[in-house]
């Protein structure tokens, strides 16, 4: 998993119980306390010419808070053939290409306890493609000196990839935080 928040990554993806809207990727109920418009963008260059971009726009409107986000993981690394008899020699034969895209839309009542996020998923490896939809649910409850969160991510039908149906990686997270 590649985290879409620097703080979330530093906390080991355990940000299910936090009131910062940056954690909407971990719990869609984190939108409940949004007070102002905000835009967050991130880029990471990984090994093997792999790049990851993400962005999110937060928008409070009347009685609800909204988010629109995207994640884009991709590469077009050189494709090579290695001659096993000459291990230090190789031949470039083109580019290897994969892309993962996710577009999400979240909603939560202002000062509420729940949030939901709808997601469209598009994956490609060379000429093979898979598309699907899913949603995330979250609850965030604030007590006097304690914050409790629970989220269920990637609820949706299987995605067909190369004539085989694959389940989305469902995740349930529970956490708490003393204030």
């Amino acid at each position: 998993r590649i985290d879409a928040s620097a703080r979330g990554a530093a906390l080991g993806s355990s940000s299910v119980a936090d009131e910062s809207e940056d954690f909407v990727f971990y719990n869609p109920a984190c939108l409940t306390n949004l007070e102002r418009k905000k835009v967050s963008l991130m880029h990471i260059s990984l090994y093997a010419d792999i790049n990851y971009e993400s962005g999110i726009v937060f928008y409070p409107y009347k009685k609800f808070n909204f988010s629109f986000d995207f994640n884009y993981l991709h590469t077009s690394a050189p494709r090579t053939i290695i001659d096993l008899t000459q291990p230090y020699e190789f031949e470039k034969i083109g580019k290897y290409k994969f892309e993962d895209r996710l577009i999400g839309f979240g909603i939560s009542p202002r000062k509420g306890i729940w949030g939901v996020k709808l997601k469209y998923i598009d994956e490609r490896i060379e000429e093979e493609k898979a598309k699907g939809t899913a949603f995330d649910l979250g609850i965030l409850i604030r007590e006097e000196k304690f914050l409790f969160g629970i989220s269920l991510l990637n609820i949706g039908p299987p995605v067909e990839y190369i004539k085989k149906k694959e389940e989305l990686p469902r995740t349930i997270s529970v956490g708490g935080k003393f204030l």
Side-chain angles (χ1 to χ4, degrees), residues 29-55:
C30 291
L31 280 174
T32 60
N33 294 305
L34 182 63
E35 298 291 332
R36 60 185 166 77
K37 298 174 190 172
K38 183 177 175 182
V39 175
S40 178
L41 301 170
M42 186 173 78
H43 167 79
I44 301 173
S45 290
L46 301 165
Y47 55 89
D49 292 330
I50 298 172
N51 294 295
Y52 176 70
E53 285 82 35
S54 71

Side-chain angles (χ1 to χ4, degrees), residues 119-178:
K119 302 189 287 191
Y120 171 76
I121 303 160
D122 178 35
E123 297 182 348
R124 298 169 191 220
I125 299 176
E126 294 293 329
E127 302 302 318
E128 301 297 333
K129 300 176 185 177
K131 296 179 182 185
T133 56
F135 67 97
D136 301 340
L137 296 173
I139 295 174
L140 194 60
I141 300 171
R142 182 187 180 101
E143 291 297 326
E144 224 175 278
K145 295 186 179 190
F146 190 73
L147 192 63
F148 172 77
I150 184 168
S151 66
L152 182 56
L153 307 179
N154 294 323
I155 305 165
V159 178
E160 187 171 333
Y161 217 145
I162 312 173
K163 299 180 183 177
K164 182 178 180 191
K165 292 195 178 212
E166 301 284 343
E167 292 289 331
L168 294 172
R170 288 188 189 91
T171 306
I172 187 165
S173 299
V174 178
K177 175 181 169 182
F178 287 100

Side-chain angles (χ1 to χ4, degrees), residues 93-109:
I93 60 167
K95 298 273 189 180
Y96 170 77
K97 187 171 185 174
F98 80 82
E99 299 176 314
D100 281 355
R101 295 182 186 96
L102 181 140
I103 297 173
F105 174 76
I107 184 170
S108 181

Side-chain angles (χ1 to χ4, degrees), residues 38-111:
K38 183 177 175 182
V39 175
S40 178
L41 301 170
M42 186 173 78
H43 167 79
I44 301 173
S45 290
L46 301 165
Y47 55 89
D49 292 330
I50 298 172
N51 294 295
Y52 176 70
E53 285 82 35
S54 71
I56 188 163
V57 176
F58 304 100
Y59 191 82
Y61 184 74
K62 296 186 180 179
K63 294 184 179 185
F64 290 92
N65 290 328
F66 300 94
S67 69
F68 174 78
D69 63 270
F70 73 90
N71 295 311
Y72 182 46
L73 178 70
H74 59 97
T75 190
S76 62
R79 184 185 300 187
T80 59
I81 294 177
I82 297 173
D83 182 353
L84 295 177
T85 62
Q86 300 286 329
Y88 298 105
E89 294 183 25
F90 61 91
E91 177 185 350
K92 292 184 180 181
I93 60 167
K95 298 273 189 180
Y96 170 77
K97 187 171 185 174
F98 80 82
E99 299 176 314
D100 281 355
R101 295 182 186 96
L102 181 140
I103 297 173
F105 174 76
I107 184 170
S108 181
R110 297 186 85 183
K111 305 301 179 191

